[in-house]
Amino acid sequence: EKLSRFEEAAAEFEKAAAIDPGRWQASLGLGVARLHLKQPERALEQFDACLQHEPQIEKALFGKAAALHLLHRFDEAIGIYQSLLAVNPNSPELLGNLVSAHLARKDDSQVREYSEQLLKIRPQSRQALEGLAGSALARGDYQNVVEHCSQLVQAAPDSYEGWFNLGFACQKC
């Protein structure tokens, strides 16, 4: 798994789980491998199996939320992300996933809130700047769209989307 050889990791974790079905670590590892293999349904099964044995394993809870997120079950994913954020309020991964999930739900106020929190932790976070620009766009606040898109193109000058969105926002102003 640490070598990013997820097919092999999944096969080995399956063997470990077959030998000792009560070993929650095998389910956790298999869930992580399945997520990386873009198999969220199968990953979710493994995270649930892990959580049956050890209900408070943060990595399994995060993995379950990520699998739910990939399955477009945003409300369930957001609930888990928020419970984990209460324990770890400065997690850029949790904040980034909350931005993404709320963008998918078109919940602009929450996108803005989590993007601002993420920006405090990572001042050049592309995801936070995109979230803030999207939230401003939804409000019709083109001046803020220009501001956030300007920061985006400074952070990622090769981003075609950033330049396009900056041009669009400037035109709207």
Side-chain angles (χ1 to χ4, degrees):
E1 178 189 340
K2 290 190 189 282
L3 295 173
S4 299
R5 293 172 21 201
F6 299 110
E7 289 280 349
E8 291 176 56
E12 295 303 321
F13 283 125
E14 283 177 349
K15 288 178 191 174
I19 292 169
D20 185 359
R23 189 168 175 83
W24 61 266
Q25 295 91 337
S27 295
L28 176 61
L30 186 52
V32 170
R34 294 282 182 224
L35 265 184
H36 284 282
L37 293 170
K38 305 209 183 324
Q39 301 170 351
E41 289 175 357
R42 294 178 74 188
L44 184 58
E45 293 170 8
Q46 296 304 315
F47 292 126
D48 281 338
C50 175
L51 291 166
Q52 284 179 348
H53 294 284
E54 293 290 330
Q56 296 305 316
I57 301 293
E58 282 187 45
K59 189 173 181 179
L61 288 166
F62 183 83
K64 178 177 181 169
L68 290 166
H69 189 153
L70 291 170
L71 293 168
H72 303 278
R73 293 167 56 183
F74 300 116
D75 291 338
E76 293 170 85
I78 287 169
I80 296 171
Y81 290 144
Q82 288 174 329
S83 69
L84 291 170
L85 192 65
V87 176
N88 190 1
N90 292 322
S91 169
E93 294 81 11
L94 288 169
L95 290 167
N97 284 10
L98 281 162
V99 168
S100 174
H102 284 292
L103 273 171
R105 290 181 61 215
K106 298 184 186 332
D107 186 344
D108 298 315
S109 66
Q110 292 296 298
V111 169
R112 184 178 186 181
E113 178 182 331
Y114 290 117
S115 293
E116 287 172 350
Q117 286 180 25
L118 180 55
L119 209 55
K120 287 178 186 173
I121 298 166
R122 294 226 170 117
Q124 293 297 316
S125 168
R126 186 173 176 172
Q127 190 170 20
L129 291 169
E130 287 173 351
L132 288 170
S135 177
L137 181 63
R139 295 188 313 274
D141 182 357
Y142 296 108
Q143 192 60 44
N144 269 323
V145 176
V146 169
E147 179 185 324
H148 298 304
C149 286
S150 294
Q151 292 174 332
L152 264 171
V153 298
Q154 288 175 353
D158 294 336
S159 169
Y160 169 79
E161 294 85 4
W163 286 104
F164 180 85
N165 291 337
L166 177 58
F168 171 78
C170 286
Q171 183 181 27
K172 285 292 194 177
C173 282

